[in-house]
Amino acid sequence: MQKKNRAMLIGSIGAGKSTLTNTLLGREVPAVKTQSLFYYDWIVDTPGEYSENPFYYKNIMATALEVTHVLYLQDATRKKMIFPPGFSTGINKIPIGVVTKSDSDQADVDLAISLLKKVIVNKGPIVITSSVKNEGIEEIRNLVNFRSIQEMQQYLEINPSPFVIF
Ligand SMILES: Nc1nc2c(ncn2[C@@H]2O[C@H](COP(=O)(O)OP(=O)(O)O)[C@@H](O)[C@H]2O)c(=O)[nH]1
Ligand SMILES: [Mg+2]
């Protein structure tokens, strides 16, 4: 039997990984700072330190072996991207870019999208999310069901969403 699809969330400290984890799983509990890896059902929440310090990239690579999808989070209220250009090409898993905090007054969604495009050069979808407004959440849940970018693309042609771009 095929193993269940699983998504690993990576991104800077405070990018919204734990909040998104809770929202995706429909949990009411508030986000707590993640000191180590957390496995919940189909999601692996990682500490922001893994993403912020290249010394820990080996931990990202090791954890990626256990998942089918990697979600690259970019906080829309931050002007900087922490991952190097093309980072997703070094991780052989289906990439999904995720813009977080699109609801914020400080959000610059277009900038976040352009920053993510430099990291996900192999054409993964980018989902614009707000855990506050519950936007883009169902889209992520659905996209993680597909095992290829082509399948995702076909799905979105039939079910277009204003919160997903390719
Ligand atoms: N406005 C807004 N704030 C968010 C959203 N998601 C997370 N945050 C806030 O961002 C901060 C960091 O979130 P957290 O999930 O702990 O980030 P993590 O370090 O990546 O796990 C918290 O204060 C959250 O309330 C969102 O969709 N909208
Ligand atoms: Mg966290």
Side-chain angles (χ1 to χ4, degrees), residues 29-94:
V29 296
V32 289
K33 189 171 181 292
T34 312
Q35 306 293 351
S36 60
L37 290 171
F38 274 86
Y39 293 81
Y40 308 95
D41 192 23
W42 59 275
I43 296 179
V44 185
D45 184 14
T46 65
E49 286 81 359
Y50 279 21
S51 297
E52 295 207 355
N53 187 342
F55 177 78
Y56 291 114
Y57 284 175
K58 59 183 183 290
N59 299 48
I60 291 179
M61 301 308 168
T63 311
L65 298 175
E66 303 173 37
V67 304
T68 50
H69 296 68
V70 177
L71 272 53
Y72 298 80
L73 271 64
Q74 176 63 30
D75 183 338
T77 68
R78 296 218 11 205
K79 305 233 174 300
K80 262 195 69 187
M81 162 57 72
I82 52 163
F83 295 119
F87 188 61
S88 80
T89 55
I91 305 176
N92 194 20
K93 301 290 170 173
I94 300 165

Side-chain angles (χ1 to χ4, degrees), residues 11-20 31-34 45-46 48 73 75 77 100-104 129-133:
S12 63
I13 298 166
K17 298 177 295 299
S18 300
T19 305
L20 185 63
V32 289
K33 189 171 181 292
T34 312
D45 184 14
T46 65
L73 271 64
D75 183 338
T77 68
T100 60
K101 312 188 192 180
S102 66
D103 61 277
S104 168
T129 73
S130 165
S131 287
V132 172
K133 292 189 176 171

